[in-house]
Amino acid sequence: MLNFEFYNPTHIVFGKKTETQVGDMVKQYGGRRVLLHYGGGSIKKYGLYDSIIKSLEASGVEYIELSGVKPNPRLSLVREGIRMCREQGADFILAVGGGSVIDSAKAIATGTPYGGDVWDFYQGMAEAETVLPVGVVLTIPAAGSESSTGSVITNEEGWYKRAYNSLLLRPRFAILNPELSYTLPPFQTAAGAADIMAHVMERYFTDVTHVDLTDRLCESTLRTVIKYVPIALMEPENYDARAEIMWAGTIAHNDLLATGRIGDWASHGIEHELSAVYDVAHGAGLAVVFPAWMKYVYAHNLDRFVQFAVRVFDVEYDFSDPERTALQGIERLREYFKSTGLAVTLKDLDIGDDRLEEMARKCAEDGPVGNFVKLGEKDVWEIYRLAK
């Protein structure tokens, strides 16, 4: 186990009807004039918008609004949010939605006090010294952005999807009411689950030894998602299933599971090119990319893939052929994603060969990706080919 520091100050408020506390939470963390940031019409359709507004007004918190966040959130809307915050004096960003909304809110929070262009942070040209505080009302368990250090934004100029990470970006609070996920379409539930599992697996596949505690935590989180997603798909208003998934999504990406180990993160980088070029939902893309990545790298540390197969998917250990055990684990992951209704090949996503070389080049243009195995442009291209 490696030396580590763990710091996560996000105040989690979990449970039924907790969104009614949002006004008091904003006020508690210093918000007086809030930018209310959200996606499309679903929060209005199902009454969440009215509940949020009522709570803000009851707490005496002023607000302005910016809607229109899309999956794979766009830089142009972030820039619009920055302009609004500066011109109208917003001192707090309230994200109501899933990972895309939260990531967009974090980008606005980062760019508002900055003298240059917010894209500088995503290109590695700037580090945040101060940001506006962010609060969250989560509606989609998936990205884990509600208590993470990260934000991922897509630049329409060149269609680059890039991440920025800073401890300053952890939200001040996150309200998690599993009831708010009852109305999610089956696809969003399944894609969100794939995203959660990918966050765990990015940390799980490591060459660091003597990390049995976090191995077990990772395995338990994966098994929890595997168990409860089918229940949520069959019974959308099963509170217990939704609660398990929502909390797993937060645990998967709040860095607890990364303590003492070095994660990989190649699959996220490879998938970001799919999302940027083809506007694929991130979790749906990960369901295609991750098994392909596994097939490409499993021989690098066969024992870890055998452990994954046996402990996560209950594959019977084949003493005479450990490689077969590892491959069965990869296949069971692929079949699990398929059983939830997700695509498992690029063909299933209607993606052909025409831009694979471009995506591989863009993925590795700043150097090799991944830590478990360092992958260059050719390696990334081979993984795309395996995903066909």
Side-chain angles (χ1 to χ4, degrees):
M1 185 183 295
L2 303 177
N3 292 1
F4 67 88
E5 294 183 17
F6 177 72
Y7 174 69
N8 193 326
T10 302
H11 182 166
I12 302 294
V13 182
F14 190 101
K16 297 178 180 180
K17 308 303 179 186
T18 47
E19 69 277 9
T20 60
Q21 301 177 39
V22 67
D24 287 342
M25 294 299 296
V26 169
K27 196 171 182 180
Q28 177 180 333
Y29 286 97
R32 294 168 296 179
R33 186 169 177 80
V34 169
L35 175 69
L36 175 58
H37 199 37
Y38 56 98
S42 62
I43 72 166
K44 292 185 176 180
K45 179 179 179 181
Y46 297 110
L48 178 58
Y49 174 87
D50 291 338
S51 180
I52 297 292
I53 296 301
K54 181 179 178 181
S55 182
L56 292 175
E57 291 179 344
S59 297
V61 176
E62 297 179 0
Y63 61 91
I64 57 177
E65 298 182 35
L66 179 62
S67 62
V69 180
K70 298 179 180 180
N72 306 310
R74 306 297 200 261
L75 179 61
S76 58
L77 190 68
V78 168
R79 287 173 172 154
E80 172 65 11
I82 292 169
R83 182 195 64 77
M84 289 178 62
C85 285
R86 289 173 177 171
E87 291 182 358
Q88 302 188 50
D91 59 9
F92 197 101
I93 315 294
L94 178 61
V96 182
S100 294
V101 173
I102 303 167
D103 282 6
S104 184
K106 289 178 176 179
I108 294 168
T110 304
T112 298
Y114 177 60
D117 181 42
V118 67
W119 189 243
D120 291 347
F121 296 98
Y122 296 83
Q123 290 186 300
M125 297 168 57
E127 284 295 330
E129 297 179 359
T130 183
V131 302
L132 294 184
V134 174
V136 172
V137 178
L138 184 68
T139 62
I140 304 174
S145 193
E146 62 271 12
S147 64
S148 80
T149 62
S151 166
V152 182
I153 297 295
T154 298
N155 187 342
E156 300 98 318
E157 185 176 337
W159 294 104
Y160 283 89
K161 184 175 181 180
R162 295 293 182 262
Y164 176 62
N165 287 272
S166 169
L167 289 174
L168 297 175
L169 290 183
R170 290 201 198 272
R172 298 296 198 274
F173 69 82
I175 291 173
L176 279 61
N177 177 2
E179 295 171 310
L180 300 180
S181 64
Y182 285 174
T183 56
L184 289 178
F187 171 77
Q188 282 190 302
T189 296
D195 199 355
I196 294 168
M197 293 177 68
H199 286 155
V200 180
M201 293 186 293
E202 293 282 22
R203 294 168 166 91
Y204 186 78
F205 289 101
T206 182
D207 287 321
V208 178
T209 57
H210 304 294
V211 286
D212 193 50
L213 173 62
T214 44
D215 274 356
R216 296 290 188 174
L217 292 173
C218 288
E219 292 154 4
S220 177
T221 306
L222 288 169
R223 290 178 67 95
T224 296
V225 175
I226 290 165
K227 175 180 178 179
Y228 284 102
V229 167
I231 296 172
L233 290 173
M234 290 187 295
E235 305 171 29
E237 296 189 11
N238 184 313
Y239 180 84
D240 294 324
R242 294 290 189 180
E244 297 283 358
I245 296 165
M246 184 168 276
W247 188 227
T250 299
I251 293 295
H253 205 42
N254 72 353
D255 289 334
L256 175 64
L257 303 185
T259 48
R261 57 202 297 145
I262 298 172
D264 184 60
W265 298 102
S267 295
H268 267 68
I270 294 167
E271 195 292 318
H272 282 168
E273 303 307 326
L274 289 180
S275 293
V277 172
Y278 292 101
D279 207 22
V280 175
H282 183 49
L286 286 167
V288 172
V289 168
F290 228 107
W293 172 84
M294 288 174 150
K295 288 181 181 178
Y296 191 74
V297 306
Y298 75 88
H300 168 74
N301 190 334
L302 184 62
D303 288 345
R304 180 143 291 272
F305 278 88
V306 169
Q307 178 177 297
F308 172 82
V310 173
R311 291 186 180 178
V312 177
F313 281 103
D314 296 323
V315 176
E316 184 176 355
Y317 181 61
D318 189 331
F319 290 90
S320 64
D321 192 354
E323 183 178 19
R324 181 171 178 270
T325 304
L327 290 172
Q328 280 189 325
I330 297 170
E331 183 59 24
R332 288 197 187 181
L333 174 66
R334 183 178 178 274
E335 289 300 316
Y336 177 76
F337 286 147
K338 188 175 182 180
S339 74
T340 66
L342 294 175
V344 291
T345 67
L346 292 177
K347 183 179 179 181
D348 292 339
L349 294 173
D350 295 323
I351 295 174
D353 295 344
D354 53 320
R355 301 187 70 175
L356 298 187
E357 290 184 6
E358 173 196 346
M359 292 190 297
R361 174 183 56 78
K362 289 166 70 176
C363 180
E365 69 180 12
D366 295 325
V369 295
N371 295 306
F372 187 71
V373 177
K374 298 289 186 183
L375 303 174
E377 179 180 337
K378 184 178 183 298
D379 300 303
V380 175
W381 181 80
E382 291 288 356
I383 290 169
Y384 285 137
R385 297 280 294 175
L386 282 171
K388 291 175 61 180

